[in-house]
Amino acid sequence: MLKIIMSQHDSIRAVEWKDNHLVLLDQRKLPHNEQFVPLYSAEDTADAIRNMVVRGAPAIGIAAAYAAAMAARKCYKQYPQDWRKRLSAEIDVLQNSRPTAVNLMWALKRMCDLADTVDGDPEEPLLALAQQIHQDDINANYRMGELGSALIQPSHGVLTHCNTGSLATGGYGTALGVIRSAYSSGKIEHVYADETRPWWQGSRLTAWELVKDKIPAHLLCDGAAAHLMKLGKVSWVIVGSDRIAANGDVANKIGTYSLAVNARYHGVKFMVVAPTSTIDLATLSGNDIPIEERSQDEVLNVNNQRIAAQYTQAWNPAFDVTPAALVDALVTEKGVIENPTAEKIASLMAS
């Protein structure tokens, strides 16, 4: 059973298990409509992941875990003697939904490893594991919130990118969890959030979360971040990650790399907040991380209205890689690594 944890400045849950099926808050509809989507199969969940109904590496992993439990239930009911083979095909559909977020692969591997040991009906043990993955993520986010907040000296503000809050996780958030904790303890007065083109996660999602949880915030164009730093408005840039390589290179939403470069130039600290499930020791460096490229229509259009000149083409990588050398602090639920290296990360993961 999932234990519900809520606190001040934490009122949002985007992934839920209700009445034997998965329910997602449709993030494409925010901030104007809070619409929940019921899902009953792995195929529907894969479509929801691919089409950004749910996004954020931890939330994707949690949704996939619940989808695997639903798939196992269906396969066992239809093919009780051959359910594992049938389940494997459903898992493949989920794995192929988005390639960069390592939490997706991590969660599905845990579900498959358990499925291989189950005798009889797999639904109950797999659902229990999915709920545990969900609960562990929330607990980890609260822990990272405490650890990351401890690094921040009282200051006016911080800057964040994309959405790393309750909408991107099981609840509370990674980078936004640190921001929630820092604001609750009086360490920061204000949050600046990049719009985060082309999906506007900052405008639509982060700003929505901050307003909903009554945290003072300003939205800014992505290109205004360097000027904000020059004016001394922020002491930290705080971001999440979709995959961290063994050497500490960080894959995150496109635009993160330029923030890290600008932060280093202006003497602003750069913090990455991510659970250890995001660290991929099998990926030696950022050069080995697959970068998803999405449709050029996401750049050429806004709300299905074309804004670019006719015949213009666009390049639309969804992520970039920030070198470990630009990261001042990597915050995980296991602890904080300052100036991350392969050796420091290996030691953390072995602890």
Side-chain angles (χ1 to χ4, degrees), residues 102-233:
V102 73
N103 303 64
L104 172 65
M105 314 304 174
W106 171 84
L108 290 174
K109 183 180 186 304
R110 289 191 64 184
M111 299 296 285
C112 290
D113 287 349
L114 178 60
D116 287 342
T117 69
V118 171
D119 290 324
D121 190 342
E123 180 182 3
E124 185 174 336
L126 288 184
L127 177 58
L129 177 56
Q131 291 176 322
Q132 187 62 55
I133 289 171
H134 193 173
Q135 185 68 63
D136 287 348
D137 183 71
I138 297 172
N139 295 343
N141 291 340
Y142 270 91
R143 176 61 178 155
M144 291 187 293
E146 295 172 0
L147 293 172
S149 177
L151 299 175
I152 300 172
Q153 297 299 315
S155 64
H156 171 67
V158 296
L159 172 64
T160 192
H161 188 64
C162 196
N163 172 261
T164 58
S166 296
L167 295 173
T169 65
Y172 199 61
T174 54
L176 207 55
V178 169
I179 290 169
R180 283 185 163 102
S181 294
Y183 179 75
S184 295
S185 60
K187 289 195 168 185
I188 59 173
E189 301 173 356
H190 209 83
V191 181
Y192 294 90
D194 285 339
E195 287 180 315
T196 318
R197 286 273 285 141
W199 266 84
W200 312 95
Q201 290 98 328
S203 305
R204 297 186 304 103
L205 307 180
T206 297
W208 179 79
E209 285 201 45
L210 292 168
V211 167
K212 200 169 182 69
D213 283 343
K214 299 179 173 59
I215 299 175
H218 270 84
L219 196 65
L220 67 153
C221 298
D222 295 1
H227 187 56
L228 182 78
M229 296 179 202
K230 180 182 178 181
L231 295 176
K233 296 285 190 180

Side-chain angles (χ1 to χ4, degrees), residues 1 24 26 28 37-38 70 94 98 113 126-127 162 219 226 269 280 286 293-294 300 314 323-324 339 341 346:
M1 180 66 66
L24 300 177
D26 190 342
R28 302 169 303 178
V37 179
M70 292 189 294
L94 289 165
R98 292 201 75 182
D113 287 349
L126 288 184
L127 177 58
C162 196
L219 196 65
K269 296 291 188 179
D280 183 8
E293 291 193 17
R294 296 180 62 84
L300 301 175
N339 306 309
T341 64

